[in-house]
Amino acid sequence: MRSSTARRAAVFSSTMLLLLGPIAAVASAEPSTPGVSDQAAHLPVELAEALQHDLALTPDQYLTRSELAQKLAEFADIARVQFPDSFAGVWLDELGQGIVALASGEGNDAARAAAEKAGFRVNDVAQSESALQDEVSALNTWLESQPPAVADLVRGIAIDVVGNGVELTADPAAGLTLPDFLNTTVLHAAAPISVPPIVVDLLPATGSLTGDAALGGDAYGGISGLNGFKCSFGFNGTDASGRTVNISAGHCDPNRIAAGTQYASEAFPLVNNQPGPRVGYFAKSVFGPRDYSIINIDDQAKYRFDNNSVRVPFNRSVNIDGVADPVVGAPVCKAGSTTGYSCGVVTSVDRSAVVSGQPMSNLFTTDICVLQGDSGGPIVTGTRALGITSASTVATSSFCEVARAAALIGSPQPIQYGTPIKDILAENPGLKVRDY
């Protein structure tokens, strides 16, 4: 993070930026799920405005589609086991209809009947999910056999569930040619983006602890010595011992190797880029193959984090009532200390990449614009925790409007990369997101 992103031989890689911000030196669907309308009435007006502006959805439509996506995820988990030869993935289409893709393998008839009984539309495709995974494996094997100069050209690999194929992203100047046995792989071009240095001097404040409740989306500084990274608090939670914690991004810790020791980086809430008194320390920081941190909250500060809320700083909050799986097409919103609330849809799942020289796995992407300082902030679908913000293709843009305008003339489209909250919880038994 102190230099440009390294180009290295890797099976999976991508072009994205960490979303650390510099810290200034001190000197159309109708609701069909019970309770959806009640929840919609409690969404903050700022989030409702983001939904209308970014997705042209009402709060009812947003919540209904979010719930439908989770029903698709549950169906997919079962179908992968019961119908492995025919199941080919799930997604929400642009109208909010749940789609189940099926190939003509064994179990197709039973899978079709189950999908239709659940209220989903069936889409016939050529390849099952397992066949697509075999193609990804073949692509990886081929890349591993190539010279480093060839493997370095690859920016990313993912299964395109809607297109029923495999996508590979590579340096546009590379002229990469795939072997004949990978002739169904779709090759896209993407230019590399480097990560600029973001370390700055910082003097944390001293004095007694006072302040408002600390919610997901609020700004904080991860500080080691006089160096600090500006990020956003993620989801409030508790660990296996019942201790109050906040779950944020691992790359927000400027001294990851010391996490959990007496030399661990400290966390300080920020107001107008100025740090207040310490609220905790980094107990665990991971950056590869996941990107997350667990910030242990000091006893005298835990009253500020004993909530299950996410917000744009100093505005009304969304109360989290569960966790969710990323599903392509599902509506999502994020809160970040730089860009506030913004919304979009999940564009890919189970994506692997190399971020700032570190291999990452099982990321999901959205079409939301996120900038430096949004790192570690919460991503939600409906009122459930979905993931934390890890990286972006437009992190260093001055404004999201600038990034979107640049995309119209050939620059990369804004892409947000998220780490699934369920992966973080699975790796830390007893860790929970507050949902009450």
Side-chain angles (χ1 to χ4, degrees):
M1 288 177 291
R2 293 168 174 79
S3 61
S4 296
T5 303
R7 290 184 61 202
R8 50 182 287 190
V11 175
F12 297 103
S13 59
S14 187
T15 59
M16 62 190 79
L17 293 177
L18 301 181
L19 302 171
L20 298 162
I23 304 175
V26 173
S28 70
E30 293 300 322
S32 58
T33 303
V36 162
S37 293
D38 291 340
Q39 288 177 306
H42 292 92
L43 292 183
V45 63
E46 295 86 359
L47 180 57
E49 290 172 348
L51 286 166
Q52 180 60 41
H53 179 272
D54 298 336
L55 291 175
L57 293 179
T58 66
D60 279 333
Q61 291 170 330
Y62 165 65
L63 292 168
T64 298
R65 294 187 184 193
S66 299
E67 287 300 313
L68 179 58
Q70 294 313 295
K71 292 177 181 178
L72 277 171
E74 293 170 3
F75 181 89
D77 285 342
I78 296 171
R80 287 188 181 99
V81 176
Q82 292 188 347
F83 317 114
D85 295 325
S86 58
F87 177 71
V90 297
W91 69 89
L92 254 62
D93 68 13
E94 293 181 355
L95 298 178
Q97 172 70 48
I99 308 296
V100 175
L102 296 177
S104 58
E106 183 179 351
N108 177 281
D109 290 342
R112 183 181 301 273
E116 292 175 346
K117 182 177 180 181
F120 306 132
R121 195 181 82 214
V122 172
N123 191 48
D124 294 315
V125 297
Q127 301 183 84
S128 67
E129 185 178 76
S130 61
L132 292 172
Q133 290 170 343
D134 288 343
E135 185 175 339
V136 170
S137 296
L139 177 56
N140 287 327
T141 300
W142 177 76
L143 286 171
E144 289 171 347
S145 71
Q146 300 304 300
V150 174
D152 271 346
L153 303 175
V154 177
R155 307 294 179 200
I157 299 173
I159 290 176
D160 174 12
V161 63
V162 179
N164 192 234
V166 174
E167 292 183 347
L168 182 147
T169 306
D171 188 325
L176 184 65
T177 301
L178 299 177
D180 290 341
F181 72 89
L182 294 172
N183 58 7
T184 60
T185 300
V186 179
L187 183 62
H188 296 286
I193 301 175
S194 63
V195 178
I198 38 72
V199 178
V200 294
D201 293 333
L202 181 92
L203 291 174
T206 59
S208 61
L209 182 71
T210 59
D212 186 19
L215 279 61
D218 289 353
Y220 77 94
I223 301 170
S224 178
L226 298 181
N227 295 323
F229 297 152
K230 177 186 176 182
C231 283
S232 299
F233 281 123
F235 296 103
N236 290 332
T238 56
D239 65 12
S241 66
R243 179 170 187 141
T244 297
V245 301
N246 184 267
I247 306 167
S248 189
H251 72 264
C252 290
D253 182 353
N255 189 15
R256 292 191 301 275
I257 195 172
T261 74
Q262 62 179 322
Y263 306 107
S265 303
E266 301 170 291
F268 297 80
L270 297 174
V271 179
N272 297 324
N273 277 345
Q274 303 303 310
R278 162 182 153 149
V279 293
Y281 67 94
F282 287 82
K284 184 176 182 180
S285 298
V286 175
F287 187 51
R290 308 283 184 250
D291 177 24
Y292 68 88
S293 59
I294 299 173
I295 301 172
N296 275 6
I297 304 302
D298 296 335
D299 287 342
Q300 67 270 27
K302 69 178 184 179
Y303 74 94
R304 298 183 64 182
F305 294 82
D306 285 344
N307 63 77
N308 62 326
S309 302
V310 167
R311 68 176 174 189
V312 174
F314 310 113
N315 284 297
R316 288 179 57 194
S317 62
V318 177
N319 294 324
I320 301 302
D321 57 13
V323 295
D325 293 297
V327 174
V328 171
V332 294
C333 296
K334 73 96 183 70
S337 61
T338 299
T339 57
Y341 283 128
S342 48
C343 302
V345 297
V346 175
T347 53
S348 71
V349 299
D350 195 15
R351 179 178 291 272
S352 297
V354 169
V355 184
S356 195
Q358 293 293 333
M360 312 292 289
S361 63
N362 202 35
L363 298 168
F364 65 92
T365 62
T366 82
D367 56 2
I368 297 175
C369 174
V370 283
L371 304 179
Q372 286 185 326
D374 290 329
S375 268
I379 307 169
V380 302
T381 182
T383 52
R384 299 189 190 189
L386 184 66
I388 58 170
T389 295
S390 290
S392 170
T393 56
V394 295
T396 56
S397 294
S398 52
F399 300 99
C400 282
E401 292 77 7
V402 173
R404 295 188 187 101
L408 296 176
I409 57 175
S411 294
Q413 292 283 343
I415 300 174
Q416 176 193 34
Y417 291 78
T419 299
I421 192 67
K422 283 193 173 182
D423 284 1
I424 300 171
L425 301 182
E427 290 188 5
N428 297 274
L431 181 66
K432 298 179 181 178
V433 171
R434 285 195 181 275
D435 56 6
Y436 59 89

